[in-house]
């Protein structure tokens, strides 16, 4: 299988895995070509002198000075914001239909950034050029170096306007990308000795230890990771996704898709009809919190409502694309730890 084919499958897989919608459904949701334009200036870095950073493709970007006009995938921008680095423009899920900040925007003031594209396959190249970008930063969900949410059709035009940095979130544990984002923020001039930053890291480590203890105390509790679309329910595998690989390493007992399903989707997920949503037995269900997925309170299918974990109230949100700052990764770890601690065996 070619790298290009693998990249396409993986992109589709991630959108559904744990998941949001199949790629086709996402493409049909691509509304407004006119991205939202924020009016306020944003800060880049206070660091002076030459700048370089070696990304997870093995590519080293070198500039005469630290980049100030930064454009980033929304989740990356949200992580950098937590470390005190602000960007000029973003692409990816940034605002909801009512204009509020998307869950992937974190604490950013979305009115102060230029939104180049809010949905899959949307990226306003002209607005990007107008920002005079110094660097573009995104995550990567495959091993082919594909920058997340950079459209295939316009990637070459985008690449000519500024160098890019890719942070891999593919087939590794959460702590790896967290450290890489830390290193990137530090290179951009963030104060990594600030109390807010160091305390967040300590809270993350404490939450992780709590989850380890909870999983060890209740190894019989089965956790299913799902995502809802109108037609299908997706069950994620514990491999490939950074959060699930980390939780599994801490001892969490995950329900896994069938081998045939994993083979068909490159290991990401299994698609089930709503009639067959009870195929796998689970005590706790983690549900995709992205705006592209139907949230548990809005699921009307009777088969869902009859699931033992749903009837027991043992359903929690999952940050399917974690914002890679320690501050934002504390809550998901604590939520899973608490869910396991309180869970009754219902499967």
């Amino acid at each position: 299988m070619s790298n290009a084919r693998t990249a396409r499958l993986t992109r589709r897989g991630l959108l559904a895995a744990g998941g949001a919608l199949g790629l086709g459904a996402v493409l049909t949701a691509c509304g407004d070509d006119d991205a939202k334009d924020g009016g306020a200036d944003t800060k880049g870095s206070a660091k002076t002198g030459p700048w370089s950073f070696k990304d997870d493709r093995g590519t080293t970007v070198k500039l005469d000075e630290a980049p100030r006009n930064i454009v980033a995938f929304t989740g990356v921008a949200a992580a950098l914001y937590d470390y005190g680095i602000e960007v000029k423009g973003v692409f990816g899920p940034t605002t909801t239909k009512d204009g509020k900040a998307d869950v992937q925007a974190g604490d950013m003031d979305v009115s102060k950034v230029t939104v180049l594209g809010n949905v899959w396959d949307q990226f306003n190249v002209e607005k990007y050029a107008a920002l005079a970008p110094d660097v573009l930063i995104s995550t990567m969900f495959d091993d082919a170096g594909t920058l997340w949410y950079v459209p295939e059709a316009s990637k070459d035009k985008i690449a000519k306007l500024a160098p890019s940095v890719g942070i891999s979130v593919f087939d590794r544990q959460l702590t790896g990308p967290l450290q890489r984002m830390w290193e990137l923020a530090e290179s951009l001039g963030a104060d990594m000795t600030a109390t807010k930053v160091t305390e967040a890291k300590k809270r993350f480590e404490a939450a992780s230890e709590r989850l380890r203890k909870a999983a060890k105390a209740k190894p019989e509790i089965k956790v299913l990771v799902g995502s809802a679309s109108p037609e299908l329910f997706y069950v994620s595998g514990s491999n490939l996704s950074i959060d699930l690989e980390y939780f599994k390493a801490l001892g969490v007992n995950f329900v896994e898709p069938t081998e045939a399903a994993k083979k068909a989707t490159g290991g990401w997920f299994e698609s089930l009809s709503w009639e067959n949503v009870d195929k796998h037995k689970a005590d706790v269900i983690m549900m995709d919190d992205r705006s592209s997925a139907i949230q548990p309170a809005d699921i009307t299918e009777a088969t869902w409502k009859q699931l033992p974990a749903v009837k027991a109230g043992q359903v929690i949100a999952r940050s399917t694309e974690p914002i890679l700052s320690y501050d934002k990764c504390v809550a998901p770890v604590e939520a899973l730890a608490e869910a396991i601690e309180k869970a009754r065996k219902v499967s």
Side-chain angles (χ1 to χ4, degrees):
M1 183 181 291
S2 70
N3 279 343
R5 170 63 180 153
T6 303
R8 285 197 295 272
L9 176 60
T10 303
R11 280 168 173 256
R12 177 187 172 100
L14 181 82
L15 285 165
L21 305 169
L23 182 55
V26 173
L27 293 177
T28 62
C30 294
D32 268 339
D33 283 335
D34 290 329
K36 184 175 180 181
D37 194 358
D41 289 337
T42 53
K43 297 184 294 183
S45 162
K47 192 170 183 178
T48 59
W51 179 82
S52 68
F53 187 81
K54 185 175 182 179
D55 76 359
D56 291 337
R57 299 171 296 185
T59 300
T60 300
V61 177
K62 296 181 179 181
L63 299 174
D64 291 338
E65 59 181 8
R68 291 186 176 274
N69 292 351
I70 301 170
V71 173
F73 172 67
T74 302
V76 170
L80 292 176
Y81 183 89
D82 285 350
Y83 291 130
I85 303 297
E86 297 183 31
V87 306
K88 281 277 190 175
V90 296
F91 54 95
T94 307
T95 58
T96 58
K97 291 180 180 178
D98 59 5
K100 295 180 180 179
D102 187 275
V103 65
Q104 290 184 252
D107 292 333
M108 281 193 302
D109 184 344
V110 296
S111 70
K112 293 184 178 180
V113 293
T114 297
V115 183
L116 303 174
N118 201 52
V119 294
W120 182 261
D121 222 25
Q122 183 187 86
F123 191 112
N124 192 314
V125 180
E126 290 72 25
K127 284 190 175 182
Y128 178 57
L131 291 175
D134 294 320
V135 67
L136 179 148
I137 310 172
S138 190
T139 48
M140 301 182 297
F141 284 93
D142 60 30
D143 56 6
T146 307
L147 295 174
W148 191 230
Y149 266 80
V150 173
E152 184 72 20
S154 55
K155 67 176 184 180
D156 292 338
K157 291 181 180 179
I158 292 167
K160 290 177 181 178
L161 294 169
S164 62
V165 168
I167 300 296
S168 180
V169 288
F170 175 69
D171 196 17
R172 60 201 65 202
Q173 294 182 27
L174 177 60
T175 44
L178 272 173
Q179 179 61 30
R180 291 294 283 145
M181 192 62 69
W182 175 290
E183 293 166 0
L184 176 60
E186 186 173 36
S187 80
L188 293 168
D191 180 5
M192 310 314 283
T193 65
T195 300
K196 178 182 176 182
V197 173
T198 57
E199 288 300 315
K201 188 172 184 180
K202 290 178 182 178
R203 288 189 293 111
F204 174 81
E205 291 168 349
S208 297
E209 183 58 26
R210 178 182 175 184
L211 178 55
R212 186 193 302 277
K213 290 179 178 178
K216 185 177 181 180
K218 290 188 172 182
E220 73 281 4
I221 297 299
K222 295 181 180 180
V223 179
L224 182 145
V225 182
S227 182
S229 76
E231 295 81 20
L232 296 170
F233 182 82
Y234 303 100
V235 177
S236 289
S238 62
N239 293 328
L240 305 182
S241 296
I242 56 174
D243 60 329
L244 304 186
E245 288 207 15
Y246 183 56
F247 298 157
K248 183 170 64 174
L250 292 175
V252 176
N253 180 10
F254 284 111
V255 172
E256 299 288 352
T258 63
E259 289 302 317
K262 288 194 289 185
K263 184 176 181 181
T265 63
W268 284 105
F269 65 98
E270 177 177 7
S271 303
L272 298 175
S273 67
W274 284 103
E275 289 77 10
N276 295 313
V277 73
D278 61 351
K279 177 179 178 179
H280 299 288
K281 307 304 180 184
D283 305 297
V284 172
I285 301 177
M286 300 175 66
M287 291 294 288
D288 187 352
D289 71 351
R290 293 176 294 181
S291 56
S292 49
I294 299 175
Q295 297 306 300
D298 299 320
I299 299 175
T300 59
E301 280 74 10
T303 50
W304 162 261
K305 294 180 179 180
Q306 291 303 310
L307 293 177
V310 175
K311 293 173 70 174
Q314 296 176 176
V315 178
I316 63 171
R318 175 203 175 195
S319 296
T320 305
E321 293 184 52
I323 293 173
L324 296 173
S325 71
Y326 284 101
D327 179 70
K328 292 299 180 294
C329 287
V330 172
V333 180
E334 287 185 336
L336 181 54
E338 181 178 6
I340 293 174
E341 288 167 353
K342 295 181 176 179
R344 294 185 293 109
K345 183 69 178 174
V346 295
S347 64

